[in-house]
Amino acid sequence: MLPSRWWVWGVHGFRVLLFAATLLAIHFHSKTRSQFTEPTQLEVAPERLTQWFSDGVIGEYDAETGLFDVLDASGEVVGHVTMTSPQGDQSIGFSGPTNVLVALDRDLEIVGLDVLQSRDTREHVDVVLGSEEYWNQFLGTKWNDVAELPRVDAVSGATLTSYAIAEALFARAGGSAPRLKFDQSLGLDDVSELFPEAATLTAREDQSSRWDIRNDAGELIGEVVSTSRFAESVIGYQGPSQTLIALDPNGLVIRFVLHDSYDNEPYTSYLNDDWSFPELFSGMTLEQVSSYDLEAEGVEGVSGATWTSMAVARGIIETASQLERLKHESSVPSESRSEWGISARDLWTLGFLVVGTGLAFSPLRGNGWIRVVYQICLVVYLGFINGDLLSQAMLVGWVRHGLPGISAARLIVMAGIAFSVPILTKRNVYCSHLCAYGAIQQLVKNRLPWQISIKKGFRSWVRFLPGVLLAWVAIVTLFDWPFSLVDIEPFDAFVFQIAGTATIAVFVGGLIASLFVPMAYCRYGCPTGGLIEYFRRSRRSDRLGWGDLLSVAVFLFAVSLLISDG
């Protein structure tokens, strides 16, 4: 007698609810143990500090800014340090957050970065650590300008990890950056010297340091740009200056005026009283100003106020350079994205998900040529180019630390398809049509005349291997053991820049086995595929078995850990 429909759906509903409850228990347990904490004390090995500050020691902590003073032997402040935790802990890379040590000089300019601790996958973090180019792009940036960096280049092979580190830096700097040296608001009186006919002053939504100027008739008569946001690191005789640059409606510079300065009188008055210097860039676009060479043009500044005037000119050039960069590059630390946050890479992966899922339910899946062409494209693009595959290391990272941001949205969609479609339709679409490693095995299947048939008795044992590996994953996750889960699966081998020996061995061994035993790894070695199969509806899936017993045991243990947390 066949089981009733209610019983079948009841069993699957039980599995899904039990699994969801287990994930929640593990997540909340992991949060109490793995989140980094607010640094009221920061213990850093001396050799880490000496790479930036000779004989430096960490002094007092400022809770308002989140910075520690670094003192020399005489007790003088020579710099500052901080770390990205806890503000940056929500930035999840491949499988977890990374806590970064940030070293700043006395002017709050980044002079060094180092990883204090990471809960991301070891191989991905190691690749980022080894990329000098990645870390150098942050050096020289003012701490209160970090969150405004127009672009961050990721490390090939460790995209999610490198973006997450950048996002953690942005979160930390945005949450605790010191106040800017100059007032960021302007009134009509501040621009009346540049635009006597100004009736309204409207801040640009995209740039807080740019304002549109209109007359009584509502006509646009020009624009004002402030250098304060971009040129505070340009120092004159005693400090930085805030200059207002007037542009006409066509974007051409009219003149500039020194609005505020840390330099003192009479040097600042000399500059504003000079009849020619404020018109140095007159008639130029900001793009032309950004490439202006003061030395080559023979500019010597205002007599009696050389340092101040030359610093003002350099500040204007620096401001124009940064505005041009902002105009041409994206404003988020990720790939080039549309206004919805979708990159070309996202669209291609989503396209494969749609095509692969559609093909799985189409009569065309039986067409040999279409299947082979699609599988080759899947292996090349989703595998070797994108590296978009599901793995236990990634899934466990999501469970522990939460779902990542927009940079991994395509992987979240992929996981949703992988687990929901088999429950609703009985078809394991991911393993058969979306997994690049599964596609390789299909391509090499039955290519050799020597095929091995596994005897029934032995097959009944080896089919438990995915369940054994899942049990190991559960143990590592529950006890928070420092074992890299990427080592038990072949998927990181597609991103060969980061692949470890164990991953490559599984990749090669699985392919060799599949030459003689069709789909050997998928059938007898893949824990991710085994997990998907556990939820798939089939003729025998209504029967409770060892998988359900293991699920209950993991759930009870996860709950006990959560209760013990207090």
Side-chain angles (χ1 to χ4, degrees):
M1 179 177 171
L2 293 174
S4 69
R5 238 175 114 186
W6 291 109
W7 168 257
V8 173
W9 281 105
V11 169
H12 281 276
F14 163 76
R15 288 171 180 161
V16 171
L17 291 175
L18 182 66
F19 187 67
T22 303
L23 297 187
L24 287 174
I26 293 174
H27 174 70
F28 288 116
H29 168 64
S30 296
K31 284 192 71 172
T32 62
R33 297 185 59 187
S34 65
Q35 289 294 92
F36 309 121
T37 56
E38 183 73 31
T40 55
Q41 289 186 342
L42 183 59
E43 296 181 1
V44 179
E47 57 269 20
R48 283 191 168 181
L49 281 183
T50 54
Q51 59 183 315
W52 310 303
F53 311 105
S54 58
D55 300 324
V57 295
I58 296 179
E60 295 185 356
Y61 171 69
D62 187 337
E64 182 177 349
T65 64
L67 303 177
F68 290 86
D69 291 336
V70 177
L71 312 176
D72 62 14
S74 63
E76 291 292 322
V77 176
V78 294
H80 311 273
V81 290
T82 188
M83 64 182 189
T84 57
S85 179
Q87 284 85 346
D89 292 350
Q90 300 304 313
S91 298
I92 309 301
F94 183 78
S95 61
T98 297
N99 188 16
V100 177
L101 177 69
V102 185
L104 310 161
D105 63 16
R106 283 183 294 185
D107 296 321
L108 299 180
E109 191 171 288
I110 296 178
V111 295
L113 298 148
D114 199 1
V115 172
L116 281 176
Q117 185 182 4
S118 180
R119 297 192 177 276
D120 212 330
T121 306
R122 179 191 65 236
E123 288 80 0
H124 294 82
V125 176
D126 287 345
V127 171
V128 176
L129 281 172
S131 175
E132 185 176 348
E133 183 179 356
Y134 174 78
W135 299 105
N136 285 345
Q137 65 187 320
F138 300 105
L139 302 184
T141 305
K142 299 284 285 187
W143 183 235
N144 54 357
D145 292 335
V146 172
E148 305 299 332
L149 280 175
R151 179 181 177 86
V152 169
D153 293 322
V155 180
S156 179
T159 306
L160 296 179
T161 298
S162 46
Y163 282 152
I165 289 174
E167 290 167 358
L169 276 170
F170 295 172
R172 184 53 156 166
S176 60
R179 292 174 60 87
L180 294 172
K181 293 182 174 67
F182 301 104
D183 188 0
Q184 298 302 292
S185 61
L186 290 182
L188 285 174
D189 291 340
D190 298 314
V191 300
S192 60
E193 182 178 347
L194 296 170
F195 294 98
E197 299 176 3
T200 62
L201 181 73
T202 307
R204 291 271 189 94
E205 291 183 0
D206 57 338
Q207 298 289 347
S208 60
S209 295
R210 303 180 75 165
W211 292 262
D212 289 331
I213 312 297
R214 298 182 184 276
N215 58 20
D216 287 328
E219 299 169 333
L220 181 68
I221 58 175
E223 176 191 346
V224 167
V225 178
S226 170
T227 64
S228 61
R229 175 183 170 189
F230 307 101
E232 285 190 359
S233 59
V234 180
I235 307 301
Y237 186 73
Q238 289 187 334
S241 297
Q242 180 188 28
T243 307
L244 301 182
I245 310 166
L247 288 80
D248 67 17
N250 297 316
L252 302 179
V253 175
I254 302 172
R255 65 192 303 268
F256 61 82
V257 62
L258 183 62
H259 181 65
D260 196 4
S261 179
Y262 280 74
D263 268 5
N264 59 352
E265 293 284 355
Y267 309 111
T268 53
S269 294
Y270 288 164
L271 192 152
N272 278 335
D273 292 340
D274 189 274
W275 66 273
S276 62
F277 194 79
E279 296 182 3
L280 175 65
F281 305 107
S282 179
M284 298 183 188
T285 64
L286 288 178
E287 182 177 7
Q288 292 171 326
V289 172
S290 68
S291 59
Y292 193 89
D293 190 331
L294 293 171
E295 183 177 352
E297 296 295 332
V299 178
E300 297 179 350
V302 176
S303 178
T306 303
W307 283 9
T308 299
S309 56
M310 292 300 287
V312 165
R314 290 196 302 272
I316 293 172
I317 294 172
E318 175 63 19
T319 298
S321 298
Q322 293 199 38
L323 287 173
E324 283 302 299
R325 188 171 62 177
L326 284 170
K327 183 173 72 174
H328 293 296
E329 298 178 347
S330 63
S331 59
V332 295
S334 60
E335 306 147 75
S336 177
R337 296 179 179 275
S338 70
E339 61 182 308
W340 298 284
I342 302 296
S343 70
R345 177 178 177 179
D346 295 326
L347 291 175
W348 275 104
T349 296
L350 292 173
F352 269 96
L353 297 181
V354 171
V355 172
T357 304
L359 190 61
F361 293 93
S362 166
L364 293 176
R365 68 181 184 274
N367 186 297
W369 282 106
I370 291 178
R371 185 175 66 252
V372 169
V373 170
Y374 171 76
Q375 288 167 349
I376 292 174
C377 293
L378 184 71
V379 170
V380 172
Y381 189 78
L382 281 196
F384 289 107
I385 295 178
N386 263 18
D388 285 343
L389 298 97
L390 302 181
S391 70
Q392 291 301 299
M394 183 176 67
L395 296 175
V396 167
W398 292 358
V399 172
R400 282 175 169 169
H401 310 292
L403 293 176
I406 189 67
S407 60
R410 61 188 180 277
L411 294 173
I412 297 173
V413 174
M414 181 182 287
I417 293 173
F419 287 97
S420 63
V421 173
I423 297 174
L424 299 174
T425 68
K426 300 183 180 181
R427 290 188 179 177
N428 186 343
V429 171
Y430 175 78
C431 294
S432 62
H433 287 80
L434 299 177
C435 175
Y437 195 68
I440 288 183
Q441 291 176 86
Q442 292 181 55
L443 288 169
V444 302
K445 184 174 66 174
N446 297 323
R447 298 297 176 183
L448 297 179
W450 312 285
Q451 296 295 301
I452 298 174
S453 178
I454 300 179
K455 293 183 179 180
K456 185 176 181 181
F458 184 66
R459 187 167 63 243
S460 64
W461 284 99
V462 294
R463 68 184 177 87
F464 281 107
L465 182 56
V468 172
L469 291 175
L470 283 172
W472 175 247
V473 171
I475 292 171
V476 169
T477 304
L478 291 169
F479 288 99
D480 200 19
W481 286 352
F483 177 84
S484 182
L485 292 175
V486 298
D487 292 343
I488 65 173
E489 294 182 299
F491 308 127
D492 260 22
F494 281 99
V495 191
F496 54 86
Q497 301 96 321
I498 66 169
T501 303
T503 300
I504 293 175
V506 176
F507 185 95
V508 175
L511 282 186
I512 293 174
S514 295
L515 285 170
F516 301 97
V517 179
M519 308 301 292
Y521 180 78
C522 285
R523 293 165 64 188
Y524 305 118
C526 183
T528 299
L531 184 61
I532 295 173
E533 280 295 309
Y534 173 67
F535 292 107
R536 185 173 73 90
R537 285 193 301 126
S538 66
R539 288 181 302 173
R540 300 171 61 90
S541 62
D542 58 285
R543 304 176 187 178
L544 298 174
W546 288 104
D548 299 293
L549 183 62
L550 175 63
S551 297
V552 171
V554 172
F555 168 72
L556 293 176
F557 191 73
V559 171
S560 68
L561 289 176
L562 186 60
I563 293 174
S564 67
D565 291 334

